[in-house]
Amino acid sequence: MAEKLCAVKGMNDILPPASSHWEWLEDKLRSLVQGYGYRNLRTPIVEPTALFIRGLGEVTDIVEKEMYSFEDRLNGEHLTLRPENTAGVVRAAIEHSLTYDGGKRLYYMGPMFRHERPQRGRYRQFHQFGAEALGYAGPDIDAELIIMACDLWRTLGLTGIELEINSLGQATERQQHRKALIDYLEGHIDLLDEDARRRLHSNPLRILDTKNPAMQELVEGAPRLMDHLGAESLAHFERLRALLDAHGVGYRINPRLVRGMDYYNLSVFEFVTRQLGSQGTVCAGGRYDGLFAQIGAKTVPAVGWAMGMERVLELLNEQSLLPRQLAPDAYAVVPDAAHLPKVMPVLRILRQCGVGVQMHAAGAEGQGSMKSQFKKADASGARYALIFGADELAQGRVSVKTLRQPDGSGTPMQILLSLEEVPEWANRLKT
Ligand code: ATP
Ligand code: MG
């Protein structure tokens, strides 16, 4: 027998009914950010490997060990399945001169790929919803993006998500801090773990982000980037804070928040929950004024965030906020398949009136008994069963049986409708 074929480890099939939760979330996210003037951008899932090496930086977790990179067998191109989409958005913005006439607010959603150890909240194919504002330099847009994310949590009903913010200043300020940091860490070299020693000279800022409990005290005492920021960087941060304060957005300043990608400067932020175990960051982002230049264009200031959709869905589930199963409005019970030519046009009229109808369809054993059809009608979650029996049809009628009330209560009732009355009934149902 042939070997059983399964999905790749860490990459999940999303089946009904869970897929309906995804559709529901996607709709919510889309309509909310559209209300802030963000427009959809769709870029390819495969990009040139050089885009991520140049964009994210050589010594980041992603580029060092998480990318699905391969050589195209046919033409030798070096390609990578996108591990994130900010680099792709910037690549597309440069390629199509999107910011030539001013700023652009964009959003995307879709699968990303990282070769990580699969666990709760961490997969090899996962999905991000992201928002990016290109061509805006001021802290007002940083505030807008953060407020927009808060608005999302509110719209979804989510609670217990905390905001952490920090400022990474500018490259020259980070350089000064970097020197002080390396000096400090070298003075305590015996306390550094293997990972930290490896990063000491390549990416010491990331050491501050360590999760190793044995290093917490060391890291607490390290020189703070905030103390190396100049007046302009501090002013940007203060103005962002003032806007968040004015909006009543609560936050915690986390001086050790540094983010994984090299491209960030000034504002960085994360939304974190304690309810998802160790994979608690549901949304993260910041300003990346240097990325356009890094990828190979003139400088365009920009800022954005990306949300992990699996984690948000998991949190919605934890807080019992997912909608109940999507059900059709009605289920058509058809005892005799010979009547289908009469029945199907009626169903078409119902659907044209906006009533969702699921038609009973014969299994391998034929149409099935009335009893089994009613069982299926009930299992579909539909509120009504439409019974197209031989007697009803002979009189030009259909029976409408109420299977459940919207609140789940009430006794079943049944009425007889003439087929001419069907559109009227459907319109009543939809108002
Ligand atoms: P982490 O520290 O958890 O690895 P990250 O800094 O690598 O996160 P980002 O690149 O900022 O994550 O991605 C933004 C968001 O995408 C994260 O906050 C998280 O919600 C989600 N995310 C990142 N990696 C994964 C993954 N492997 N599986 C599921 N969601 C992920
Ligand atoms: Mg990561």
PDB file of all heavy atoms in Angstrom, residues 28-53:
ATOM      1  N   LYS A  28     -14.680  40.750  10.330  1.00  0.00           N
ATOM      2  CA  LYS A  28     -14.594  41.783  11.375  1.00  0.00           C
ATOM      3  C   LYS A  28     -13.352  42.653  11.181  1.00  0.00           C
ATOM      4  O   LYS A  28     -13.414  43.882  11.276  1.00  0.00           O
ATOM      5  CB  LYS A  28     -14.508  41.132  12.766  1.00  0.00           C
ATOM      6  CG  LYS A  28     -15.744  40.403  13.174  1.00  0.00           C
ATOM      7  CD  LYS A  28     -16.606  41.308  14.007  1.00  0.00           C
ATOM      8  CE  LYS A  28     -17.810  40.548  14.514  1.00  0.00           C
ATOM      9  NZ  LYS A  28     -18.831  41.407  15.043  1.00  0.00           N
ATOM     10  N   LEU A  29     -12.210  41.995  10.961  1.00  0.00           N
ATOM     11  CA  LEU A  29     -10.950  42.723  10.831  1.00  0.00           C
ATOM     12  C   LEU A  29     -10.991  43.649   9.620  1.00  0.00           C
ATOM     13  O   LEU A  29     -10.663  44.829   9.704  1.00  0.00           O
ATOM     14  CB  LEU A  29      -9.781  41.731  10.686  1.00  0.00           C
ATOM     15  CG  LEU A  29      -9.520  40.805  11.874  1.00  0.00           C
ATOM     16  CD1 LEU A  29      -8.470  39.761  11.516  1.00  0.00           C
ATOM     17  CD2 LEU A  29      -9.066  41.600  13.092  1.00  0.00           C
ATOM     18  N   ARG A  30     -11.416  43.069   8.495  1.00  0.00           N
ATOM     19  CA  ARG A  30     -11.499  43.825   7.250  1.00  0.00           C
ATOM     20  C   ARG A  30     -12.355  45.079   7.418  1.00  0.00           C
ATOM     21  O   ARG A  30     -11.929  46.174   7.080  1.00  0.00           O
ATOM     22  CB  ARG A  30     -12.144  42.928   6.186  1.00  0.00           C
ATOM     23  CG  ARG A  30     -11.467  42.951   4.844  1.00  0.00           C
ATOM     24  CD  ARG A  30     -12.325  42.280   3.786  1.00  0.00           C
ATOM     25  NE  ARG A  30     -12.903  41.010   4.185  1.00  0.00           N
ATOM     26  CZ  ARG A  30     -12.410  39.820   3.856  1.00  0.00           C
ATOM     27  NH1 ARG A  30     -11.314  39.744   3.137  1.00  0.00           N
ATOM     28  NH2 ARG A  30     -13.002  38.717   4.235  1.00  0.00           N
ATOM     29  N   SER A  31     -13.555  44.891   7.944  1.00  0.00           N
ATOM     30  CA  SER A  31     -14.453  46.047   7.946  1.00  0.00           C
ATOM     31  C   SER A  31     -13.970  47.092   8.946  1.00  0.00           C
ATOM     32  O   SER A  31     -14.104  48.285   8.707  1.00  0.00           O
ATOM     33  CB  SER A  31     -15.899  45.634   8.171  1.00  0.00           C
ATOM     34  OG  SER A  31     -16.066  45.179   9.474  1.00  0.00           O
ATOM     35  N   LEU A  32     -13.345  46.651  10.042  1.00  0.00           N
ATOM     36  CA  LEU A  32     -12.874  47.651  10.994  1.00  0.00           C
ATOM     37  C   LEU A  32     -11.749  48.509  10.403  1.00  0.00           C
ATOM     38  O   LEU A  32     -11.792  49.736  10.475  1.00  0.00           O
ATOM     39  CB  LEU A  32     -12.406  47.005  12.293  1.00  0.00           C
ATOM     40  CG  LEU A  32     -12.132  48.066  13.354  1.00  0.00           C
ATOM     41  CD1 LEU A  32     -12.929  47.836  14.612  1.00  0.00           C
ATOM     42  CD2 LEU A  32     -10.674  48.220  13.661  1.00  0.00           C
ATOM     43  N   VAL A  33     -10.749  47.887   9.789  1.00  0.00           N
ATOM     44  CA  VAL A  33      -9.625  48.705   9.294  1.00  0.00           C
ATOM     45  C   VAL A  33     -10.023  49.524   8.062  1.00  0.00           C
ATOM     46  O   VAL A  33      -9.492  50.606   7.836  1.00  0.00           O
ATOM     47  CB  VAL A  33      -8.341  47.882   9.018  1.00  0.00           C
ATOM     48  CG1 VAL A  33      -7.904  47.132  10.264  1.00  0.00           C
ATOM     49  CG2 VAL A  33      -8.504  46.931   7.848  1.00  0.00           C
ATOM     50  N   GLN A  34     -11.004  49.023   7.314  1.00  0.00           N
ATOM     51  CA  GLN A  34     -11.510  49.825   6.199  1.00  0.00           C
ATOM     52  C   GLN A  34     -12.114  51.125   6.721  1.00  0.00           C
ATOM     53  O   GLN A  34     -12.031  52.166   6.079  1.00  0.00           O
ATOM     54  CB  GLN A  34     -12.533  49.030   5.379  1.00  0.00           C
ATOM     55  CG  GLN A  34     -11.867  48.001   4.462  1.00  0.00           C
ATOM     56  CD  GLN A  34     -12.859  47.055   3.800  1.00  0.00           C
ATOM     57  OE1 GLN A  34     -14.044  47.041   4.122  1.00  0.00           O
ATOM     58  NE2 GLN A  34     -12.362  46.241   2.879  1.00  0.00           N
ATOM     59  N   GLY A  35     -12.703  51.048   7.899  1.00  0.00           N
ATOM     60  CA  GLY A  35     -13.281  52.230   8.535  1.00  0.00           C
ATOM     61  C   GLY A  35     -12.243  53.269   8.936  1.00  0.00           C
ATOM     62  O   GLY A  35     -12.592  54.411   9.238  1.00  0.00           O
ATOM     63  N   TYR A  36     -10.971  52.887   8.958  1.00  0.00           N
ATOM     64  CA  TYR A  36      -9.885  53.836   9.226  1.00  0.00           C
ATOM     65  C   TYR A  36      -9.186  54.249   7.926  1.00  0.00           C
ATOM     66  O   TYR A  36      -8.152  54.907   7.954  1.00  0.00           O
ATOM     67  CB  TYR A  36      -8.839  53.203  10.155  1.00  0.00           C
ATOM     68  CG  TYR A  36      -9.240  53.143  11.621  1.00  0.00           C
ATOM     69  CD1 TYR A  36     -10.183  52.224  12.073  1.00  0.00           C
ATOM     70  CD2 TYR A  36      -8.658  53.992  12.550  1.00  0.00           C
ATOM     71  CE1 TYR A  36     -10.523  52.153  13.414  1.00  0.00           C
ATOM     72  CE2 TYR A  36      -8.993  53.931  13.892  1.00  0.00           C
ATOM     73  CZ  TYR A  36      -9.929  53.007  14.317  1.00  0.00           C
ATOM     74  OH  TYR A  36     -10.261  52.946  15.654  1.00  0.00           O
ATOM     75  N   GLY A  37      -9.732  53.801   6.788  1.00  0.00           N
ATOM     76  CA  GLY A  37      -9.145  54.185   5.489  1.00  0.00           C
ATOM     77  C   GLY A  37      -8.028  53.278   5.007  1.00  0.00           C
ATOM     78  O   GLY A  37      -7.271  53.651   4.109  1.00  0.00           O
ATOM     79  N   TYR A  38      -7.892  52.099   5.579  1.00  0.00           N
ATOM     80  CA  TYR A  38      -6.864  51.155   5.120  1.00  0.00           C
ATOM     81  C   TYR A  38      -7.406  50.340   3.948  1.00  0.00           C
ATOM     82  O   TYR A  38      -8.582  49.956   3.945  1.00  0.00           O
ATOM     83  CB  TYR A  38      -6.411  50.246   6.274  1.00  0.00           C
ATOM     84  CG  TYR A  38      -5.535  50.993   7.258  1.00  0.00           C
ATOM     85  CD1 TYR A  38      -6.088  51.969   8.097  1.00  0.00           C
ATOM     86  CD2 TYR A  38      -4.165  50.788   7.308  1.00  0.00           C
ATOM     87  CE1 TYR A  38      -5.290  52.701   8.968  1.00  0.00           C
ATOM     88  CE2 TYR A  38      -3.365  51.510   8.181  1.00  0.00           C
ATOM     89  CZ  TYR A  38      -3.924  52.465   9.008  1.00  0.00           C
ATOM     90  OH  TYR A  38      -3.138  53.194   9.857  1.00  0.00           O
ATOM     91  N   ARG A  39      -6.553  50.111   2.931  1.00  0.00           N
ATOM     92  CA  ARG A  39      -6.957  49.395   1.727  1.00  0.00           C
ATOM     93  C   ARG A  39      -6.141  48.125   1.574  1.00  0.00           C
ATOM     94  O   ARG A  39      -4.978  48.077   1.952  1.00  0.00           O
ATOM     95  CB  ARG A  39      -6.752  50.285   0.495  1.00  0.00           C
ATOM     96  CG  ARG A  39      -7.577  51.572   0.506  1.00  0.00           C
ATOM     97  CD  ARG A  39      -9.044  51.292   0.207  1.00  0.00           C
ATOM     98  NE  ARG A  39      -9.899  52.454   0.459  1.00  0.00           N
ATOM     99  CZ  ARG A  39     -10.580  52.653   1.597  1.00  0.00           C
ATOM    100  NH1 ARG A  39     -10.522  51.786   2.578  1.00  0.00           N
ATOM    101  NH2 ARG A  39     -11.339  53.718   1.747  1.00  0.00           N
ATOM    102  N   ASN A  40      -6.747  47.148   0.957  1.00  0.00           N
ATOM    103  CA  ASN A  40      -6.126  45.819   0.863  1.00  0.00           C
ATOM    104  C   ASN A  40      -4.989  45.761  -0.160  1.00  0.00           C
ATOM    105  O   ASN A  40      -5.117  46.243  -1.270  1.00  0.00           O
ATOM    106  CB  ASN A  40      -7.221  44.816   0.479  1.00  0.00           C
ATOM    107  CG  ASN A  40      -6.753  43.372   0.557  1.00  0.00           C
ATOM    108  OD1 ASN A  40      -7.129  42.566  -0.276  1.00  0.00           O
ATOM    109  ND2 ASN A  40      -5.921  43.047   1.516  1.00  0.00           N
ATOM    110  N   LEU A  41      -3.885  45.146   0.234  1.00  0.00           N
ATOM    111  CA  LEU A  41      -2.771  44.874  -0.693  1.00  0.00           C
ATOM    112  C   LEU A  41      -2.487  43.379  -0.646  1.00  0.00           C
ATOM    113  O   LEU A  41      -2.317  42.814   0.427  1.00  0.00           O
ATOM    114  CB  LEU A  41      -1.521  45.663  -0.273  1.00  0.00           C
ATOM    115  CG  LEU A  41      -0.249  45.358  -1.075  1.00  0.00           C
ATOM    116  CD1 LEU A  41      -0.394  45.798  -2.525  1.00  0.00           C
ATOM    117  CD2 LEU A  41       0.963  46.023  -0.446  1.00  0.00           C
ATOM    118  N   ARG A  42      -2.436  42.763  -1.821  1.00  0.00           N
ATOM    119  CA  ARG A  42      -2.173  41.315  -1.893  1.00  0.00           C
ATOM    120  C   ARG A  42      -0.876  41.083  -2.637  1.00  0.00           C
ATOM    121  O   ARG A  42      -0.778  41.424  -3.807  1.00  0.00           O
ATOM    122  CB  ARG A  42      -3.325  40.602  -2.600  1.00  0.00           C
ATOM    123  CG  ARG A  42      -4.642  40.826  -1.887  1.00  0.00           C
ATOM    124  CD  ARG A  42      -5.798  40.203  -2.620  1.00  0.00           C
ATOM    125  NE  ARG A  42      -7.047  40.593  -1.982  1.00  0.00           N
ATOM    126  CZ  ARG A  42      -8.058  39.767  -1.770  1.00  0.00           C
ATOM    127  NH1 ARG A  42      -7.979  38.512  -2.165  1.00  0.00           N
ATOM    128  NH2 ARG A  42      -9.157  40.201  -1.183  1.00  0.00           N
ATOM    129  N   THR A  43       0.079  40.537  -1.950  1.00  0.00           N
ATOM    130  CA  THR A  43       1.387  40.281  -2.568  1.00  0.00           C
ATOM    131  C   THR A  43       1.599  38.770  -2.647  1.00  0.00           C
ATOM    132  O   THR A  43       0.925  38.008  -1.948  1.00  0.00           O
ATOM    133  CB  THR A  43       2.512  40.920  -1.729  1.00  0.00           C
ATOM    134  OG1 THR A  43       2.440  40.395  -0.402  1.00  0.00           O
ATOM    135  CG2 THR A  43       2.370  42.440  -1.683  1.00  0.00           C
ATOM    136  N   PRO A  44       2.562  38.314  -3.483  1.00  0.00           N
ATOM    137  CA  PRO A  44       2.793  36.867  -3.603  1.00  0.00           C
ATOM    138  C   PRO A  44       3.294  36.246  -2.307  1.00  0.00           C
ATOM    139  O   PRO A  44       3.913  36.918  -1.479  1.00  0.00           O
ATOM    140  CB  PRO A  44       3.881  36.781  -4.677  1.00  0.00           C
ATOM    141  CG  PRO A  44       3.804  38.061  -5.427  1.00  0.00           C
ATOM    142  CD  PRO A  44       3.378  39.092  -4.431  1.00  0.00           C
ATOM    143  N   ILE A  45       3.040  34.956  -2.174  1.00  0.00           N
ATOM    144  CA  ILE A  45       3.496  34.214  -0.998  1.00  0.00           C
ATOM    145  C   ILE A  45       4.985  33.892  -1.114  1.00  0.00           C
ATOM    146  O   ILE A  45       5.680  33.767  -0.120  1.00  0.00           O
ATOM    147  CB  ILE A  45       2.617  32.947  -0.838  1.00  0.00           C
ATOM    148  CG1 ILE A  45       1.283  33.368  -0.215  1.00  0.00           C
ATOM    149  CG2 ILE A  45       3.300  31.885   0.015  1.00  0.00           C
ATOM    150  CD1 ILE A  45       0.225  32.319  -0.214  1.00  0.00           C
ATOM    151  N   VAL A  46       5.466  33.787  -2.352  1.00  0.00           N
ATOM    152  CA  VAL A  46       6.892  33.521  -2.580  1.00  0.00           C
ATOM    153  C   VAL A  46       7.572  34.825  -3.007  1.00  0.00           C
ATOM    154  O   VAL A  46       7.045  35.554  -3.841  1.00  0.00           O
ATOM    155  CB  VAL A  46       7.072  32.451  -3.673  1.00  0.00           C
ATOM    156  CG1 VAL A  46       8.551  32.204  -3.948  1.00  0.00           C
ATOM    157  CG2 VAL A  46       6.396  31.153  -3.263  1.00  0.00           C
ATOM    158  N   GLU A  47       8.708  35.106  -2.377  1.00  0.00           N
ATOM    159  CA  GLU A  47       9.468  36.318  -2.711  1.00  0.00           C
ATOM    160  C   GLU A  47      10.936  35.928  -2.911  1.00  0.00           C
ATOM    161  O   GLU A  47      11.372  34.870  -2.441  1.00  0.00           O
ATOM    162  CB  GLU A  47       9.381  37.335  -1.554  1.00  0.00           C
ATOM    163  CG  GLU A  47       8.004  37.922  -1.282  1.00  0.00           C
ATOM    164  CD  GLU A  47       7.653  39.117  -2.179  1.00  0.00           C
ATOM    165  OE1 GLU A  47       8.457  39.490  -3.073  1.00  0.00           O
ATOM    166  OE2 GLU A  47       6.551  39.677  -1.978  1.00  0.00           O
ATOM    167  N   PRO A  48      11.719  36.802  -3.553  1.00  0.00           N
ATOM    168  CA  PRO A  48      13.155  36.534  -3.642  1.00  0.00           C
ATOM    169  C   PRO A  48      13.759  36.467  -2.239  1.00  0.00           C
ATOM    170  O   PRO A  48      13.454  37.315  -1.398  1.00  0.00           O
ATOM    171  CB  PRO A  48      13.706  37.762  -4.390  1.00  0.00           C
ATOM    172  CG  PRO A  48      12.533  38.424  -5.012  1.00  0.00           C
ATOM    173  CD  PRO A  48      11.327  38.056  -4.211  1.00  0.00           C
ATOM    174  N   THR A  49      14.599  35.475  -1.989  1.00  0.00           N
ATOM    175  CA  THR A  49      15.216  35.313  -0.662  1.00  0.00           C
ATOM    176  C   THR A  49      15.941  36.589  -0.231  1.00  0.00           C
ATOM    177  O   THR A  49      15.907  36.971   0.939  1.00  0.00           O
ATOM    178  CB  THR A  49      16.189  34.115  -0.688  1.00  0.00           C
ATOM    179  OG1 THR A  49      15.422  32.953  -1.038  1.00  0.00           O
ATOM    180  CG2 THR A  49      16.846  33.894   0.658  1.00  0.00           C
ATOM    181  N   ALA A  50      16.548  37.269  -1.190  1.00  0.00           N
ATOM    182  CA  ALA A  50      17.320  38.485  -0.878  1.00  0.00           C
ATOM    183  C   ALA A  50      16.460  39.549  -0.208  1.00  0.00           C
ATOM    184  O   ALA A  50      16.962  40.354   0.583  1.00  0.00           O
ATOM    185  CB  ALA A  50      17.954  39.044  -2.157  1.00  0.00           C
ATOM    186  N   LEU A  51      15.165  39.561  -0.513  1.00  0.00           N
ATOM    187  CA  LEU A  51      14.277  40.570   0.095  1.00  0.00           C
ATOM    188  C   LEU A  51      14.294  40.456   1.616  1.00  0.00           C
ATOM    189  O   LEU A  51      14.364  41.455   2.331  1.00  0.00           O
ATOM    190  CB  LEU A  51      12.843  40.396  -0.419  1.00  0.00           C
ATOM    191  CG  LEU A  51      11.785  41.274   0.266  1.00  0.00           C
ATOM    192  CD1 LEU A  51      12.020  42.756  -0.028  1.00  0.00           C
ATOM    193  CD2 LEU A  51      10.378  40.870  -0.175  1.00  0.00           C
ATOM    194  N   PHE A  52      14.234  39.230   2.120  1.00  0.00           N
ATOM    195  CA  PHE A  52      14.173  39.043   3.574  1.00  0.00           C
ATOM    196  C   PHE A  52      15.547  39.208   4.217  1.00  0.00           C
ATOM    197  O   PHE A  52      15.655  39.726   5.322  1.00  0.00           O
ATOM    198  CB  PHE A  52      13.553  37.681   3.901  1.00  0.00           C
ATOM    199  CG  PHE A  52      12.176  37.538   3.324  1.00  0.00           C
ATOM    200  CD1 PHE A  52      11.919  36.651   2.293  1.00  0.00           C
ATOM    201  CD2 PHE A  52      11.145  38.346   3.776  1.00  0.00           C
ATOM    202  CE1 PHE A  52      10.656  36.543   1.736  1.00  0.00           C
ATOM    203  CE2 PHE A  52       9.868  38.253   3.226  1.00  0.00           C
ATOM    204  CZ  PHE A  52       9.630  37.347   2.195  1.00  0.00           C
ATOM    205  N   ILE A  53      16.590  38.775   3.515  1.00  0.00           N
ATOM    206  CA  ILE A  53      17.936  38.948   4.078  1.00  0.00           C
ATOM    207  C   ILE A  53      18.218  40.437   4.211  1.00  0.00           C
ATOM    208  O   ILE A  53      18.668  40.914   5.254  1.00  0.00           O
ATOM    209  CB  ILE A  53      18.984  38.252   3.189  1.00  0.00           C
ATOM    210  CG1 ILE A  53      18.733  36.735   3.204  1.00  0.00           C
ATOM    211  CG2 ILE A  53      20.400  38.582   3.659  1.00  0.00           C
ATOM    212  CD1 ILE A  53      19.693  35.935   2.371  1.00  0.00           C
TER     213      ILE A  53
END
